[in-house]
């Protein structure tokens, strides 16, 4: 990423003084202007040309152009090279300029945002780009934070403010920030104008969750932490205003420090073509040397005898110098082995593929009215070679919607709707949702389908009442009533908000709270409970509790938490209820729902007073406070009574499980990189079927030190190796890890282990795993696993993981995300995909492709990507073939023309061959061809593997193509040459002459390459027919026109061979020669393909054969049953919000909280047909499969 400010040496520490621009300017800190564009008006032309001439072919054609400007060696006009070269450079430059224009537009939009800056005692409107370090700025509700700020004061009590960090870490739940007490009272502009504190802090860095600094003011110093900072990219929520001191601006902000550099992306085929062009140039030089030596020998031995009527040019004084000039002449003549039309055609084909993506109605989201968009045209074929997908979670896999789906209360399950036969009704078969219109405080957006639960509430079922009473009391939600009956909840976690909303709709409405009370409207009656204690959540406890006193004086503890934790703390007297509830939990978890267990316990007054005294002493202890509190919490949360369980649908985007299953069958590995918490990410993993109970083991790495992480990774590898040995795979030792072969593909015994494994690693552990001495151990362990989930990762860590795989695996990577926190990852991957979702458009602007739903990725890769790769490979193979067949005829002719650099064909045929005669048919094949239909591409994911293995165009395929081209050129020259040696016309005259021979060879060539492309075309359209047969017709039309009397009379010096074509093609011998040449050239190809299809068919051949059979016989369709995951329970609640929120509530600091404007991430498994699909994978393996090179055979 380029910056507006100049680059300076790294800082050791940063010193910032408030309201002192002159003081701060001496440190030359970066301004708040950002620049993500690559060019400006001055640098565009030189930088863009430099980038374009990094393409070896462009440099090659520039060199040829220079040669053609030398008249002594040029046998072709210079404009034949300069026109297409300038055309290619111009088209590419216009495309690059357009892309950069939009980057400039985006930068200007951000830089010109308005901000209120305190200057000379007054608030003035300033553009973001003019904000400076040390300025005090005012933010208002729902405004983005302009720079990294130290929070000074806010409209909320105690200097609190609430922010949404979706642009930074993808999380949409609210976070709390607080000003230090000494500045929280600086609410007046006059006081702020006099504030002259100085901040000394860490230098700019990319760590989003850490900040260390000190404020010096009035001879005192105050420690600063991340809780006092507002970072650029955050949005102020539910806070009227706040003031902040700019500490980091522009490129120094943590958001920009986590943004990757804009990279120039090339496909693997582009890189291979650069190598092949060098090889071809070497081959061209070899041919030129051979012919030049032949010229020198011929001129010395034979040409010297004909000096009288074949004199040398005036500059030529020896046979050696004649050979030298002949070398350069042949370099020009033979350069058509790689014509510049190749690169023009490649760009046209890529443009066509991009339009197909843009026009695909099946990738159009009607709900958001968003089509798919190919934002680049250079990476389409790489979409057919992806091996690793790196996906964000929140907003990419999920919809940020949390739904209260089912519950179990005192042994009865609610939430399922039964049809008349007593079976569970499908979603489409459900009746109307429960009517909550009787409840004026109900949330109209809430939907529930089981009316029996509402009936239980209305009939006064005590267990159901207690269930919803618990949900309305045991939480940390804040409530605001903006108008009568219009409640707004603000939850720290989206699932907690869903539970409180459910209680609200079932007539247990949480109305308000103070530090010591909670008011709930129960069945229309307001009840105020005394809040005695909040036993807050943390990562170890995985639960939270509240202790309340009812108006009747009863003290009760309400607890909710992870089922694995809470079930161990129940009273042993309720075995039967426990077993029934456990069955319900298994059923809910099998459907991918997030489960939570609810329990309560009555406390005696005396016991509670004694316990409360101990709690007070523990909370004020100077040492061991956390441990003492944990022991007290553990003591009171025992022998509880089971009340029931909840099941929340953490809603996935539509089609996510199916898409992941299909992509997995295509041998694409999917890694989830999320800033979210571990338990939430794991739940999503189970919901979208990345993680399953059938897996051998799920390894969780949570070490905080280098040694701990290394040990956990080592144990994971040992378990995988032990499992393989026990299954008889014969692995006896672990391959030693070395970095010496970092340039080559990483190979490992672990990649062939038996069983399926998954790896879950936290951000702090990943930081150690990505260090240079451990990155290979981490990569080998991760690549041996079927699924990898990285939690709590920073945007930069996402990019580092992608870069690690790119570096060692040499595989094509794709990153997909929807927020600004995914931009760095999107830029780093070979292909970046942006989801146009609810977290802004930063990811889309940085992406190569964009659409609105994750499920479209399946079609993008398996249909558009695979077809693009197939078409490009077939295009390149045919293009190299036809041009070697065309050019090598000159080489053979050199041995019969005294190595004089005379061409076989006339100049117009050479010019028009690649532009007119053979351009459109190959373009039609490159744009429209397909081996199987789009339905079969989706139905048989294994068809995708040839692209991953690079089977369709590689060095081997290239040599086969040029060998076929050379073979064709030999027959194309020597068959007519042999026939013409003794052939006569029908009138007895000699048939052989230069022009007749040229016409015969040229006609044979055009017919042979047209028949060849007909064989290569797998999908015929009207356009293919028109272009192939039309090109042949155009050839004959132009041929007869150039040999006509009319052109000769107009341009006698240019078209001197009047009537030659008509006379030559009127001879039966010529047509027999053309027919013989065509048959001999084509028949070996037909025979080889027939034998290959019969003896060693590829998977695509088998699928095509299946299509033909299905047209004749209707296949019987099987209905796939819905199979749910059972046998495990997952609770995401305990990890879904921050520790310490309960303490904040009881302190009373946040009693002026505003409303909740929060949407949550969610996931629910749709019908679990994936298991059936996986079984079908094994059943399909009886079909014939293609053979592939290397160690990764294709499987059906």
């Amino acid at each position: 990423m380029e910056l507006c400010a100049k680059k300076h040496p790294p800082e050791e520490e940063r010193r910032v003084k408030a309201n002192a621009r002159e003081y701060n300017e001496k440190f030359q800190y970066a301004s708040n202007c950002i620049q993500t564009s690559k060019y400006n008006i001055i640098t565009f032309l030189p930088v863009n040309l430099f980038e374009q001439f990094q393409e070896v072919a462009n440099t090659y054609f520039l060199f040829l152009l220079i040669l053609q400007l030398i008249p002594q060696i040029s046998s072709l006009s210079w404009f034949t090279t300069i026109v297409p070269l300038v055309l290619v450079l111009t088209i590419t430059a216009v495309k690059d300029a357009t892309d950069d224009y939009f980057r400039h537009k985006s930068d200007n939009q951000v830089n010109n945002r308005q901000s209120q800056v305190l200057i000379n005692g007054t608030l003035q409107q300033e553009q973001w780009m003019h904000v400076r370090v040390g300025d005090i700025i005012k933010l208002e509700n729902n405004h983005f934070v302009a720079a990294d700020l130290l929070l000074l004061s806010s409209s909320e009590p105690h200097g609190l403010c609430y922010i949404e960090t979706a642009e930074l870490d993808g999380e949409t739940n609210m976070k709390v920030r607080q000003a230090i007490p000494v500045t929280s009272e600086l609410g007046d502009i006059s006081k702020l104008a006099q504030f002259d504190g100085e901040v000394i802090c860490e230098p700019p860095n990319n760590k989003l969750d850490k900040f260390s600094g000190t404020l010096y003011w009035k001879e005192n110093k105050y420690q600063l932490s991340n809780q006092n900072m507002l970072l650029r990219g955050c949005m102020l929520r539910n806070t009227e205003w706040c003031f902040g001191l700019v500490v980091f601006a522009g490129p120094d902000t943590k958001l920009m420090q986590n943004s990757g550099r804009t990279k120039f992306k090339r496909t693997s085929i582009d890189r291979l073509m650069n190598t092949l062009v060098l090889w071809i140039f070497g081959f061209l030089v070899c041919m030129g040397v051979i012919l030049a030596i032949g010229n020198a020998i011929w001129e010395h031995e034979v040409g010297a005898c004909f000096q009288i009527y074949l004199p040398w040019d005036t500059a030529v004084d020896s046979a050696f110098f004649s050979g030298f000039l002949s070398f350069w002449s042949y370099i020009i003549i033979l350069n058509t082995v790689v014509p510049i039309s190749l690169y023009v055609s490649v760009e046209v084909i890529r443009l066509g593929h991009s339009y197909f993506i843009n026009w695909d109605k099946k990738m159009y989201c009607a709900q958001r009215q968003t089509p798919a968009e190919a934002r680049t045209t250079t990476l389409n074929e790489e979409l057919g070679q992806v091996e690793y997908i790196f996906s964000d979670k929140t907003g990419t896999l999920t919809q940020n919607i949390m739904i209260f789906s089912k519950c179990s209360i005192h042994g009865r399950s609610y939430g399922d709707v039964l049809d008349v036969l007593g079976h569970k009704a499908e979603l489409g078969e459900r009746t109307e949702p429960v009517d909550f219109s009787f409840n004026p405080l109900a949330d109209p957006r809430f939907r529930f389908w089981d009316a029996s639960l509402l009936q239980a509430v209305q009939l006064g079922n005590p267990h159901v009442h207690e269930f919803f009473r618990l949900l309305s009391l045991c939480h940390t939600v804040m409530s605001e009533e903006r108008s009568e009956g219009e409640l707004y909840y603000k939850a720290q976690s989206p699932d907690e908000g869903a539970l409180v909303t459910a209680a609200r709709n079932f007539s247990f409405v949480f109305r308000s709270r103070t530090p010591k009370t909670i008011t709930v409207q129960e069945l229309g009656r307001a009840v105020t409970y005394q809040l005695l204690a909040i036993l807050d959540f943390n990562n170890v406890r995985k639960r939270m509790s509240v202790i309340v006193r009812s108006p009747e004086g009863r003290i009760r503890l309400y607890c909710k938490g992870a089922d694995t934790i809470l079930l161990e703390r129940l009273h042993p007297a309720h075995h039967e209820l426990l077993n029934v509830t456990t069955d319900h939990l298994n059923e809910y978890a099998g459907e991918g729902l997030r489960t939570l267990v609810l329990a309560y316990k009555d406390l005696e007054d005396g016991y509670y007073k004694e316990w409360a005294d101990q709690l007070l002493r523990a909370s004020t202890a100077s040492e061991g406070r956390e441990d003492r509190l944990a022991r007290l919490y553990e003591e009171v949360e025992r022998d509880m009574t089971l009340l029931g369980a909840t099941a929340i649908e953490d809603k996935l985007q539509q089609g996510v499980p199916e898409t992941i299953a299909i992509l997995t069958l295509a041998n694409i590995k999917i890694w989830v990189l999320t800033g979210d918490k571990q338990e939430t990410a794991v739940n999503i993993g189970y919901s979208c079927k990345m993680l399953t109970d059938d897996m051998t083991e799920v390894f969780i790495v949570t070490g905080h030190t280098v040694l701990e992480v290394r040990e956990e990774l080592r144990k994971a590898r040992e378990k995988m190796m032990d499992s393989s040995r026990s299954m008889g795979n014969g692995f006896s030792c672990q391959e030693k890890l070395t970095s010496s072969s970092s340039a080559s593909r990483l190979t490992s015994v672990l990649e062939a282990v038996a069983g399926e494994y998954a790896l879950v690693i936290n951000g702090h552990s990943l930081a150690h795993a990505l260090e240079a001495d451990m990155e290979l151990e981490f990569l080998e362990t991760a690549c041996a696993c079927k699924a990898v989930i990285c939690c709590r990762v920073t945007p930069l860590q996402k990019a580092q993981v992608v870069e690690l795989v790119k570096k060692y695996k040499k595989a094509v990577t794709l990153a997909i995300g929807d927020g600004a926190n995914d931009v760095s990852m999107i830029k780093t991957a070979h292909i970046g995909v942006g989801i146009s979702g609810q977290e802004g458009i930063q990811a889309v602007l940085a992406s190569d492709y964009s659409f609105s739903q994750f499920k479209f990725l399946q079609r993008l890769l398996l249909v558009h990507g695979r077809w693009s790769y197939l078409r490009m490979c077939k295009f390149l193979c045919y293009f190299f073939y036809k041009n070697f067949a065309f050019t090598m005829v000159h080489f053979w002719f050199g041995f019969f023309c005294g190595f004089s650099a005379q061409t076989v064909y006339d100049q117009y045929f050479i010019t028009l061959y690649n532009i007119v005669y053979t351009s459109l048919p190959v373009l039609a094949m490159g744009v429209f061809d397909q081996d199987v239909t789009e339905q079969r591409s989706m139905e048989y994911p294994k068809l995708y593997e040839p692209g991953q293995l690079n089977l369709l165009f590689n060095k081997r395929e290239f040599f086969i193509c040029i060998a076929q081209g050379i073979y064709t050129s030999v027959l194309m020259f020597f068959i007519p040459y042999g026939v013409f040696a003794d052939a006569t016309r029908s009138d007895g005259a000699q048939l052989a002459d230069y022009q007749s021979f040229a016409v015969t060879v040229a006609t044979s060539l055009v017919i042979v390459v047209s028949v060849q492309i007909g064989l290569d075309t797998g999908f015929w359209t009207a356009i293919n027919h028109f272009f192939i047969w039309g090109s042949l017709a155009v050839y004959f039309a132009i041929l007869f026109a150039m040999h006509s009397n009319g052109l000769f009379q107009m341009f006698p010096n240019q078209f001197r061979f009047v009537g030659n074509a008509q006379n030559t093609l009127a001879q039966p011998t010529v047509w027999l020669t053309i027919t013989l040449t065509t048959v001999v050239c084509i028949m070996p190809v037909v025979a080889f393909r027939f034998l290959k299809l019969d003896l060693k068919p590829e998977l695509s051949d088998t699928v095509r054969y299946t299509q033909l059979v299905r047209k004749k016989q209707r296949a019987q369709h099987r209905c796939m049953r819905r199979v749910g995951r059972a046998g495990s329970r997952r609770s995401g609640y305990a990890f879904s919000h921050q520790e310490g929120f309960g303490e904040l509530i009881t302190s009373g600091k946040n009693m002026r909280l505003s409303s909740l404007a929060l949407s949550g991430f969610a996931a629910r498994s749709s019908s679990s047909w994936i298991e059936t699909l996986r079984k079908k994978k094994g059943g399909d393996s009886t079909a014939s499969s293609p053979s592939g090179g290397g160690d990764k055979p294709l499987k059906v």
Side-chain angles (χ1 to χ4, degrees), residues 590-593 649-650 652 657 686-689 1122-1125 1163-1168 1170:
E591 297 174 9
L593 303 177
E649 183 178 357
D650 193 2
L652 288 172
Y686 277 99
S687 297
C688 65
K689 303 300 180 183
R1122 296 166 59 96
V1123 181
R1125 175 174 66 88
R1164 178 180 185 265
S1165 166
S1166 54
S1167 58
S1168 187
I1170 298 96

Side-chain angles (χ1 to χ4, degrees), residues 937-954:
S937 294
M938 306 275 273
E939 185 178 343
Y940 297 94
K942 285 297 178 182
L943 287 167
Y944 190 79
E945 282 198 3
Q948 297 171 323
L949 302 176
N950 205 20
L951 296 180
L952 302 186
F953 186 73
N954 49 43

Side-chain angles (χ1 to χ4, degrees), residues 61-79:
F61 291 121
L62 181 63
F63 172 69
L64 287 176
L65 175 62
I66 295 171
L67 289 181
Q68 285 183 291
L69 296 174
I70 305 172
Q72 285 80 6
I73 63 175
S74 178
S75 55
L76 294 173
S77 237
W78 58 271
F79 64 81

Side-chain angles (χ1 to χ4, degrees), residues 78-304:
W78 58 271
F79 64 81
T80 60
T81 298
I82 193 170
V83 171
L85 177 60
V86 170
L87 181 65
V88 170
L89 295 178
T90 302
I91 291 173
T92 307
V94 168
K95 179 176 68 68
D96 292 342
T98 303
D99 292 343
D100 210 56
Y101 166 75
F102 287 110
R103 295 192 196 101
H104 274 286
K105 191 175 180 181
S106 173
D107 291 343
N108 291 336
Q109 182 181 0
V110 173
N111 289 329
N112 290 317
R113 286 177 178 170
Q114 296 295 311
S115 182
Q116 300 181 65
V117 183
L118 185 61
I119 302 176
N120 298 325
T122 61
L123 283 175
Q124 299 181 16
Q125 292 288 335
E126 285 279 3
Q127 294 174 326
W128 276 24
M129 69 171 75
H130 297 145
V131 171
R132 297 288 183 268
V133 171
D135 287 351
I136 293 177
I137 64 177
K138 180 182 181 181
L139 297 175
E140 295 181 345
N141 192 35
N142 295 329
H143 282 196
F144 280 105
V145 179
D148 288 358
L149 310 177
L150 170 65
L151 179 60
L152 297 177
S153 61
S154 77
S155 58
E156 300 297 303
H158 308 284
L160 291 170
C161 77
Y162 304 94
I163 58 173
E164 184 180 278
T165 60
E167 294 288 347
L168 287 172
D169 55 18
E171 294 188 14
T172 54
N173 52 305
M174 301 297 171
K175 293 183 173 60
V176 182
R177 295 293 183 263
Q178 186 174 13
I180 58 176
V182 70
T183 64
S184 61
E185 303 302 325
L186 299 177
D188 291 339
I189 293 178
S190 57
K191 294 180 181 178
L192 287 166
Q194 297 172 5
F195 177 67
D196 60 352
E198 183 175 13
V199 174
I200 300 178
C201 65
E202 61 189 17
N205 59 73
N206 53 40
K207 297 178 180 177
L208 294 174
D209 56 346
K210 291 183 180 180
F211 178 81
S212 177
T214 305
L215 172 66
Y216 293 87
W217 189 40
K218 294 182 179 180
E219 300 182 354
N220 292 314
K221 63 178 182 178
Y222 309 92
Q223 292 299 315
L224 305 175
S225 69
N226 200 50
Q227 285 297 111
N228 311 123
M229 296 295 294
L230 305 180
L231 302 184
R232 180 182 180 126
C234 298
M235 179 176 281
L236 193 67
R237 293 289 196 188
N238 306 108
T239 306
E240 290 184 22
W241 53 261
C242 73
F243 286 94
L245 171 67
V246 178
V247 178
F248 300 118
D252 291 341
T253 59
K254 292 183 183 289
L255 174 65
M256 303 307 291
Q257 290 278 313
N258 274 284
S259 295
R261 181 181 296 273
T262 301
K263 296 184 179 181
F264 184 62
K265 294 183 178 181
R266 286 191 182 93
T267 67
S268 58
I269 286 182
D270 282 335
R271 293 188 292 270
L272 176 60
M273 283 173 60
N274 279 348
T275 303
L276 297 181
V277 167
L278 289 175
W279 288 3
I280 291 173
F281 184 72
F283 180 66
L284 180 60
V285 169
C286 291
M287 289 194 296
V289 168
I290 293 171
L291 294 169
I293 293 173
N295 177 269
I297 295 173
W298 191 90
E299 290 289 353
H300 182 268
E301 298 293 335
V302 182

Side-chain angles (χ1 to χ4, degrees), residues 6 198 261 273 444 540 634 652 711 1029 1151:
K6 297 180 180 179
E198 183 175 13
R261 181 181 296 273
M273 283 173 60
V540 177
E634 188 74 23
L652 288 172
E711 181 65 17
W1029 315 127
M1151 284 302 110

Side-chain angles (χ1 to χ4, degrees), residues 335-350:
N335 83 83
T336 49
V337 286
V338 184
I340 198 166
S341 60
L342 168 65
Y343 291 89
V344 178
S345 301
V346 165
E347 291 302 319
V348 171
I349 290 171
R350 285 173 170 168

